[in-house]
Amino acid sequence: MRTVLFRSFLKQKWAVKRMIVEAILFLGYARVMNFLPFARIAPLLGTEQQETTYERHPVKERTALHISKVIYMVSKHTPWKSECMVSGIAAMKMLKRRNIESTLYFGIAKNEHQQLIAHAWLRCGTLYVTGAEGIENFTVVNKFAKQSKHVNRGCVIKHEG
């Protein structure tokens, strides 16, 4: 299995290879962050209780879609758990490196046994980059807007409450 993955990696274009390596590094970084108290990592996630714009930007969304696919593919093969929060943080970091803003959402819901469950997902413009499956079942309890360097501050949507 690993030999097939390695051969598949070698057949990729250099740009894709670099993105795969970047995804592995950021997934590892996000997994390590997952062991820290949330109060310590929250300031690194962006501006709390704010969102980035839903405005469409085709070039940025195309880049975000590439990142989404790479994160999805690579997260299945990491030797650690790369679940929703880890994938969301890794994708957010990859977008930030490309000066693309995004919003990381945290939500809660009850499962079929009435137990509380949590989920995280990342949005860039109108595209859900990670964790999109089932988000309609979750109530957003927190969100973090990660701005790009050149974003107009008027594009941030602030929610009270």
Side-chain angles (χ1 to χ4, degrees):
M1 174 74 168
R2 299 236 184 242
T3 306
V4 173
L5 287 173
F6 185 69
R7 284 188 193 142
S8 174
F9 173 79
L10 292 177
K11 291 179 184 177
Q12 300 297 321
K13 295 178 182 175
W14 278 107
V16 176
K17 286 178 186 176
R18 282 192 302 271
M19 196 176 272
I20 290 170
V21 171
E22 180 185 2
I24 291 168
L25 293 173
F26 279 126
L27 285 165
Y29 166 83
R31 180 65 179 148
V32 169
M33 285 181 66
N34 208 21
F35 289 108
L36 299 173
F38 191 75
R40 291 236 357 242
I41 67 168
L44 305 173
L45 300 178
T47 308
E48 192 169 0
Q49 290 302 322
Q50 288 190 5
E51 294 182 280
T52 54
T53 182
Y54 280 86
E55 189 176 307
R56 294 210 61 197
H57 192 288
V59 174
K60 290 180 179 182
E61 286 186 6
R62 188 171 30 249
T63 301
L65 183 60
H66 289 306
I67 289 170
S68 176
K69 289 177 180 179
V70 169
I71 288 287
Y72 178 77
M73 176 185 64
V74 172
S75 66
K76 290 186 197 182
H77 302 288
T78 57
W80 56 84
K81 286 186 179 181
S82 293
E83 293 175 337
C84 59
M85 183 172 154
V86 170
S87 294
I89 292 172
M92 178 184 260
K93 289 290 191 184
M94 290 177 73
L95 288 168
K96 181 67 176 168
R97 282 196 68 235
R98 289 157 179 82
N99 206 29
I100 300 174
E101 62 275 358
S102 60
T103 303
L104 184 62
Y105 297 89
F106 294 95
I108 58 170
K110 289 190 176 180
N111 66 11
E112 60 276 357
H113 305 293
Q114 297 303 308
Q115 297 170 318
L116 208 56
I117 56 173
H119 186 50
W121 60 97
L122 184 71
R123 179 188 57 78
C124 172
T126 59
L127 175 71
Y128 288 95
V129 181
T130 65
E133 60 285 336
I135 62 173
E136 64 279 353
N137 300 322
F138 289 85
T139 301
V140 174
V141 293
N142 211 343
K143 55 193 157 210
F144 295 86
K146 193 67 150 181
Q147 301 298 326
S148 67
K149 293 177 186 169
H150 304 294
V151 122
N152 178 348
R153 297 308 281 171
C155 291
V156 175
I157 305 165
K158 184 169 183 168
H159 295 276
E160 300 295 326

